[in-house]
Amino acid sequence: MKSKTHFLQDLNLNSILEPADPQDKNYCATKVVGTIGPACQAVDKQVAMLEAGMSAARFDLTWGPIEYHRRSLDNLQTAMKKTRRLCAIMLDTLGREVMIRRPFRIEADGWPNQAGQEISVAMGQTLTLTTRDVECSDTVLPVTYTKFAGMMEPGDTLYVGRYLVSGADSASLYLEVVEVVDEHDVVCVAKNEALLDGLLTVFHVERSSDELLNLQNDLPLLSEYDKECIISLAQDYEIDFISLSYTRSVDDVVEARAFLDAVGLANTKIMAKLESRQSLLNFKGILNEADGIIISRGNLGLDCLPEKMALVQKTLIQSCNLVGKPVLITRVVDTMAVSPRPTRAEATDVANAVLDGVDGILLGQETLRGFFPIESVQTLVSIARQAEKVFDHHYHFDHLLDTAYEVEEGYGMPGGSPEDASPGSSQGDLSELDPEGAAAGGGRRAPRRIPSNESFSSLSLAIKAMTRFGPSSYGNLQAMTRFGPSSYGNLQGMSKNDSSGKLYHGSPYISKLESISSSAVRAADKVGASLIVVYTHTGRTAQLVAKYRPPMPILTLVVPRLVSDTLKWKLEGRHNARQCLLTRGLLPMLATPQPHGDAVLGEAISAASRLGIVGPNNHVVAVQRIHEDFCVKIVSVDSCGAGIKRAINLDVTEHGCLTTVSASGAAEAVDNHEHDHDLGHMVTTTSELDEEAAARVVAELKANGRL
């Protein structure tokens, strides 16, 4: 895959240095996740964080009793009611964490505290890590994993640090293994000075620079405490996400999914947390099964060479963007735990992540125990908002399609389809995809049919599906390639043979759902829309629209509905709305059920107007599904900015045709055959909205005073 680059359209420093527009505070596409702890457990703090832009709250089961987390969740519910804002709930598991065993006391607020037990370590000092049941001291550190010594070899590097520290402060210690005495004791020498305090964790750094040589601990994916907390908390609260710590392979995600399904949490989504090199080697399989990815840069930065970390981050983000799954990064403004302002490097890091295409940023110690939790959220939102202004949305859109061309060439699939090629291994590293697709035994894998409406969660399958061609591809070329004259460079190497009926090459196939999503984004861009509205039940359609990173907000309308499990009725909808809060650009909204869709759309536009997102006479693009058909509707806001003025409907029917629907509701065919055309009789037979046809519709409506 070709990497995505950053382009700044305006290089005028005077304009860049201008103060931010106060109206910009109404919307930030990038999401912020805050970790709830002693610094922000109070209702007023959580209210302020929600108002500052926090879209999800993380409750870390690694530290703190279940009653503390229950009280934090109660406070969050109160804060949501006060602010009338949705906030997703994420539980972060303990998993395979190895810790230093030390006594602690429970404070009055219920939070465990180890103050007064600081350990001072000098550079060159000898320490022993042991699995014996001994007290912790300045020279002996007891670990919680009984097979710890069996994993070590002389020369290995260990990192001991306070949970959620940056690695650059006084609570971070690097050790080199000198001797493995027996099955219990490991003698190490300190490579730096440190003052260890709080909950201490141990990370075994990979000893090889280019492969996986370390033995991995056999701790369970979900500890008994994890399971107890998840089951208990799910009885009283709707858990939207599980952050799966130390995810190593696709099997971990499958195991977690089976557990959640078994305890009645089938709707809870899994965010796989990548924390080791092993997770990178198995990334494609993890991405295939997980609902989203968290790049845990703290531990991952220890297990990867420093010079490779930026490339790893960009590759992971780009892969998640391609398949339309949310991706979060961690450890961005660590210094704001003790400072009200980030460093220059941290501010630049946040902006670059936004330009890379990250969906959201997860705050750890900054909000858990930092002195400036509210300022941390405000700072991230401010930086992200400015970076979004210069994000090249057109290039991102084109990049998704350009990638398909390149992979098609790599797979050697002229005129082929995913059915003709191997689906690719679900496991593997981040290197280029195997063009041969051979199985381990040397033969080709059995083909797997991919229906056109499948959610392409695997990177391999997504790319292959996008490089599938059909007889209508050539006619759809202009709608699918780069806008403008330069796009015709993509015609090079394209062949077609009408008489033989062979498939055309050069334009990627996109499923109906992908087609309508990309069409909505292109239509919104061409008419200068201020808002995209998506009707959804599961959030998948909205995620696909967001995948193309339009510059305008995407209002996701979820209408709550009653469902029955034969024993009782349950109201569904809030769950799905909150799960949209980790996808960049989505603004979920619970809509009141109405007798028809236009009434719901009018209510949504009124709400957007109150938020300052749309104004009088602005255009809005709406995406909705009517039975098996999809519809892209372009509407105008009335002169008061409170409702719909009139609409043009662009329907994608089951036959793949487009029609326009006037404000009166009368459907007219859209044709572009060689005969004379007038308004309402312009035609295209493509399964995706043609750019020039849409532009002609809008231009002629404006000329006739109908828009």
Side-chain angles (χ1 to χ4, degrees):
M1 289 187 300
K2 182 174 68 176
S3 62
K4 188 174 70 173
T5 54
H6 301 158
F7 292 99
L8 300 182
Q9 298 178 346
D10 187 355
L11 299 180
N12 184 351
L13 277 177
N14 290 333
S15 63
I16 292 175
L17 292 175
E18 289 178 358
D21 186 348
Q23 295 299 322
D24 287 344
K25 294 183 179 180
N26 294 326
Y27 171 68
C28 178
T30 306
K31 308 304 181 183
V32 176
V33 182
T35 302
I36 306 301
C40 63
Q41 188 194 37
V43 173
D44 59 337
K45 288 291 184 68
Q46 294 191 40
V47 165
M49 290 169 67
L50 288 173
E51 292 177 339
M54 183 179 74
S55 56
R58 168 178 174 253
F59 300 86
D60 196 345
L61 304 180
T62 301
W63 198 225
I66 187 171
E67 289 306 319
Y68 184 89
H69 297 305
R70 189 180 297 277
R71 188 158 52 252
S72 298
L73 282 162
D74 287 337
N75 290 350
L76 178 63
Q77 304 296 322
T78 303
M80 284 192 283
K81 290 178 181 178
K82 285 189 173 184
T83 60
R84 299 182 63 84
R85 293 173 183 258
L86 293 173
C87 183
I89 295 174
M90 177 188 294
L91 295 186
D92 200 318
T93 62
L94 167 63
R96 300 176 169 118
E97 192 83 66
V98 178
M99 295 178 284
I100 300 297
R101 189 170 59 250
R102 300 202 301 161
F104 60 86
R105 66 178 182 274
I106 301 296
E107 298 291 345
D109 61 357
W111 187 254
N113 195 331
Q114 293 176 322
Q117 302 181 51
E118 293 83 0
I119 300 173
S120 180
V121 180
M123 184 187 305
Q125 177 181 331
T126 299
L127 296 94
T128 300
L129 275 68
T130 181
T131 60
R132 301 179 192 276
D133 186 11
V134 296
E135 291 187 2
C136 183
S137 68
D138 290 348
T139 57
V140 179
L141 303 178
V143 297
T144 56
Y145 180 51
T146 57
K147 301 178 183 178
F148 180 78
M151 300 166 53
M152 300 298 117
E153 290 183 7
D156 283 359
T157 298
L158 296 173
Y159 171 77
V160 179
R162 187 178 185 182
Y163 187 60
L164 296 180
V165 295
S166 66
D169 49 28
S170 61
S172 300
L173 175 64
Y174 292 88
L175 301 173
E176 180 178 341
V177 176
V178 176
E179 180 185 4
V180 180
V181 179
D182 52 28
E183 62 182 7
H184 298 292
D185 298 339
V186 178
V187 178
C188 306
V189 61
K191 301 172 71 173
N192 64 286
E193 294 183 356
L195 183 63
L196 303 179
D197 186 23
L199 176 67
L200 301 178
T201 62
V202 182
F203 187 84
H204 185 196
V205 180
E206 171 58 48
R207 63 176 66 100
S208 169
S209 62
D210 57 357
E211 54 183 328
L212 193 66
L213 297 181
N214 285 13
L215 289 176
Q216 306 298 313
N217 69 56
D218 58 2
L219 290 170
L221 173 69
L222 296 173
S223 67
E224 290 303 317
Y225 179 67
D226 287 330
K227 294 179 180 180
E228 176 190 348
C229 287
I230 292 172
I231 294 173
S232 177
L233 294 176
Q235 293 176 356
D236 300 315
Y237 311 96
E238 290 184 334
I239 308 302
D240 301 306
F241 297 96
I242 293 292
S243 173
L244 202 58
S245 297
Y246 289 95
T247 303
R248 292 174 179 168
S249 69
V250 62
D251 295 334
D252 289 343
V253 184
V254 172
E255 177 187 340
R257 182 76 273 159
F259 168 75
L260 293 175
D261 291 348
V263 298
L265 294 176
N267 292 327
T268 299
K269 293 190 174 183
I270 296 175
M271 300 292 292
K273 206 171 178 183
L274 309 184
E275 304 194 60
S276 66
R277 193 181 306 176
Q278 186 176 6
S279 65
L280 300 183
L281 298 176
N282 297 324
F283 173 65
K284 284 188 288 184
I286 294 172
L287 181 61
N288 181 50
E289 290 295 330
D291 299 298
I293 297 294
I294 298 177
I295 306 174
S296 183
R297 303 195 304 174
N299 287 339
L300 199 57
L302 294 171
D303 222 26
C304 295
L305 295 174
E307 61 268 27
K308 294 290 187 181
M309 193 57 210
L311 303 179
V312 168
Q313 174 177 312
K314 291 176 183 293
T315 303
L316 295 175
I317 293 174
Q318 183 175 327
S319 300
C320 293
N321 287 169
L322 182 62
V323 299
K325 291 193 176 184
V327 54
L328 311 179
I329 64 169
T330 67
R331 313 300 282 273
V332 286
V333 287
D334 286 321
T335 60
M336 289 197 70
V338 294
S339 170
R341 183 184 176 98
T343 65
R344 295 178 296 277
E346 289 171 338
T348 304
D349 185 29
V350 173
N352 279 329
V354 174
L355 294 175
D356 286 340
V358 74
D359 286 86
I361 297 169
L362 193 153
L363 291 168
Q365 68 161 337
E366 301 94 332
T367 57
L368 178 81
R369 59 172 179 262
F371 296 115
F372 305 98
I374 300 169
E375 291 82 356
S376 297
V377 175
Q378 292 171 337
T379 298
L380 286 188
V381 169
S382 298
I383 297 173
R385 190 180 286 124
Q386 294 303 308
E388 289 163 10
K389 281 186 173 183
V390 297
F391 183 85
D392 196 330
H393 303 276
H394 294 94
Y395 182 77
H396 178 87
F397 186 98
D398 295 337
H399 175 75
L400 295 180
L401 301 179
D402 290 344
T403 301
Y405 292 114
E406 294 187 5
V407 176
E408 178 231 344
E409 295 175 358
Y411 274 99
M413 293 167 51
S417 72
E419 290 92 325
D420 304 322
S422 159
S425 172
S426 64
Q427 309 249 14
D429 56 21
L430 298 178
S431 60
E432 294 183 359
L433 301 175
D434 178 14
E436 299 299 329
R444 299 191 67 82
R445 298 179 186 270
R448 182 170 82 88
R449 180 166 181 78
I450 305 174
S452 63
N453 62 347
E454 179 169 342
S455 170
F456 302 110
S457 53
S458 162
L459 177 61
S460 304
L461 295 180
I463 296 176
K464 289 180 181 179
M466 290 178 70
T467 55
R468 175 178 169 190
F469 308 108
S472 63
S473 298
Y474 186 79
N476 197 28
L477 183 65
Q478 290 180 334
M480 301 293 291
T481 54
R482 182 184 300 274
F483 305 148
S486 63
S487 63
Y488 294 100
N490 289 320
L491 287 168
Q492 296 180 356
M494 184 180 70
S495 62
K496 69 186 184 78
N497 188 332
D498 291 331
S499 60
S500 65
K502 292 183 179 179
L503 301 177
Y504 300 110
H505 317 149
S507 181
Y509 170 89
I510 296 183
S511 69
K512 182 187 287 188
L513 197 56
E514 287 270 9
S515 174
I516 200 70
S517 301
S518 59
S519 297
V521 174
R522 184 159 42 244
D525 177 68
K526 298 305 293 183
V527 302
S530 300
L531 179 70
I532 297 176
V533 178
V534 181
Y535 298 76
T536 185
H537 287 302
T538 64
R540 181 56 184 162
T541 305
Q543 279 190 322
L544 288 176
V545 174
K547 162 183 172 178
Y548 293 96
R549 298 290 188 261
M552 66 287 296
I554 306 166
L555 193 62
T556 308
L557 287 181
V558 179
V559 179
R561 60 194 185 280
L562 281 173
V563 297
S564 173
D565 59 2
T566 71
L567 296 177
K568 59 182 179 179
W569 289 94
K570 180 181 179 181
L571 185 66
E572 287 190 351
R574 292 179 302 175
H575 211 43
N576 305 111
R578 289 196 305 270
Q579 287 176 337
C580 292
L581 285 168
L582 287 192
T583 300
R584 180 164 163 175
L586 296 189
L587 291 176
M589 170 183 165
L590 289 171
T592 304
Q594 300 285 352
H596 54 86
D598 283 347
V600 178
L601 180 59
E603 179 185 343
I605 291 177
S606 296
S609 178
R610 291 193 297 270
L611 293 173
I613 296 174
V614 297
N617 302 315
N618 285 172
H619 295 314
V620 175
V621 171
V623 180
Q624 64 184 122
R625 182 172 182 171
I626 304 174
H627 302 296
E628 295 302 318
D629 298 334
F630 292 93
C631 169
V632 173
K633 180 185 296 183
I634 305 173
V635 303
S636 294
V637 183
D638 60 27
S639 57
C640 298
I644 301 174
K645 181 162 57 177
R646 59 170 56 91
I648 313 161
N649 288 4
L650 300 174
D651 294 348
V652 181
T653 69
E654 61 181 354
H655 303 294
C657 297
L658 295 176
T659 60
T660 64
V661 180
S662 66
S664 63
E668 303 165 331
V670 182
D671 196 17
N672 67 353
H673 286 146
E674 294 181 357
H675 57 71
D676 294 335
H677 16 260
D678 53 18
L679 183 62
H681 293 85
M682 297 181 298
V683 156
T684 176
T685 57
T686 67
S687 62
E688 189 170 37
L689 175 63
D690 183 83
E691 172 194 331
E692 294 183 356
R696 287 198 300 270
V697 171
V698 174
E700 294 191 41
L701 285 177
K702 286 182 177 179
N704 287 274
R706 294 174 59 188
L707 185 63

